């Protein structure tokens, strides 16, 4: 990829498309809140019902987490979360590239580009890019994470643990953010993957 295009386009991200990108992000966040959050809650409730738990406590939460069905749901929801984050990343890259070229990208165009890119990531050979997204989630998935946290109630013992171990939780969060920041150098993979039609492996070698 041309080095100038790779870097400069992001500086002009909002030059021509800030309104359309804002409209897309609004629709995207509403979609996440209306679709992903109920799915997350439904999967959690189903897994608890099948496992024989009416509610989670500090005594049964670890047994619940080890249940094969819980693990399967966690993997499926992680893939879905990475897929949704890929849509968000694709929208940003689409508007950045359009702005660099000095043209406007409509909301439907942004949406089609982003969804196609996310579907491409589901191919077996491209699945590693979803892992990169999950590692970057604290930085790239802030919109989706905030939508989920705003609508999901944590079990009481989790809330009490967080309240009584605030310093430890903050430290853990900081370490996760540092790990994600260290992975920021992998961001170049996404423009290569989405704009140039490269596979995940080829994009990583670029």
């Amino acid at each position: 990829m041309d080095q100038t295009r790779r870097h400069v386009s992001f500086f002009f991200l909002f030059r021509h498309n800030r309104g359309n990108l804002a409209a897309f992000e609004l629709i995207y966040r509403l979609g996440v809140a209306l679709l992903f959050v109920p799915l997350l809650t439904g999967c959690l409730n189903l897994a608890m019902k099948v496992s024989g738990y009416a509610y989670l406590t500090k005594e049964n939460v670890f047994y619940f987490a080890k249940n094969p069905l819980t693990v399967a749901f966690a993997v499926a929801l992680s893939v879905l979360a990475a897929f949704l984050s890929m849509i968000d990343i694709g929208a940003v890259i689409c508007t950045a590239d359009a702005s660099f070229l000095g043209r406007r990208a409509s909301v439907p165009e942004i949406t089609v580009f982003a969804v196609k890119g996310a579907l491409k990531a589901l191919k077996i050979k491209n699945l590693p890019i979803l892992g990169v997204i999950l590692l970057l989630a604290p930085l790239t998935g802030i919109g989706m994470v905030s939508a989920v946290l705003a609508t999901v109630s944590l079990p009481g013992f989790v809330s009490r643990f967080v309240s009584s171990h605030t310093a430890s939780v903050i430290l853990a969060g900081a370490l996760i953010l540092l790990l994600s920041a260290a992975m920021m150098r992998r961001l170049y993979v996404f423009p290569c993957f989405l704009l140039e039609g490269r596979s995940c492996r080829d994009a990583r070698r670029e």
Side-chain angles (χ1 to χ4, degrees), residues 101-179:
L101 297 175
R103 67 177 186 84
R104 293 182 62 83
S106 65
V107 174
E109 178 186 350
I110 295 170
T111 303
V112 170
F113 178 90
V115 172
K116 282 185 176 180
L119 291 174
K120 177 186 172 184
L122 293 179
K123 294 182 179 179
I124 298 297
K125 65 179 181 179
N126 294 325
L127 286 178
I129 202 167
L130 297 182
V132 175
I133 292 175
L134 291 176
L135 289 173
L136 290 169
L139 298 178
T140 61
I142 291 176
M144 186 172 66
V145 170
S146 62
V148 171
L149 293 180
T151 53
V152 174
S153 298
L154 295 176
F157 74 92
V158 175
S159 300
R160 288 192 295 272
F161 176 86
V162 172
S163 299
S164 59
H165 297 80
T166 304
S168 298
V169 172
I170 292 175
L171 179 59
L175 290 175
I176 293 173
L177 286 174
L178 286 175
L179 176 61

Side-chain angles (χ1 to χ4, degrees), residues 57-123:
T57 67
K58 62 181 179 181
E59 286 78 20
N60 66 23
V61 65
F62 295 108
Y63 296 101
F64 172 74
K66 292 190 296 183
N67 186 290
L69 182 62
T70 304
V71 174
F73 277 142
V75 171
L77 289 171
S78 295
V79 172
L80 178 58
F83 175 82
L84 293 174
S85 292
M86 189 69 186
I87 292 177
D88 197 18
I89 292 170
V92 172
I93 289 176
C94 177
T95 52
D97 188 60
S99 294
F100 177 76
L101 297 175
R103 67 177 186 84
R104 293 182 62 83
S106 65
V107 174
E109 178 186 350
I110 295 170
T111 303
V112 170
F113 178 90
V115 172
K116 282 185 176 180
L119 291 174
K120 177 186 172 184
L122 293 179
K123 294 182 179 179

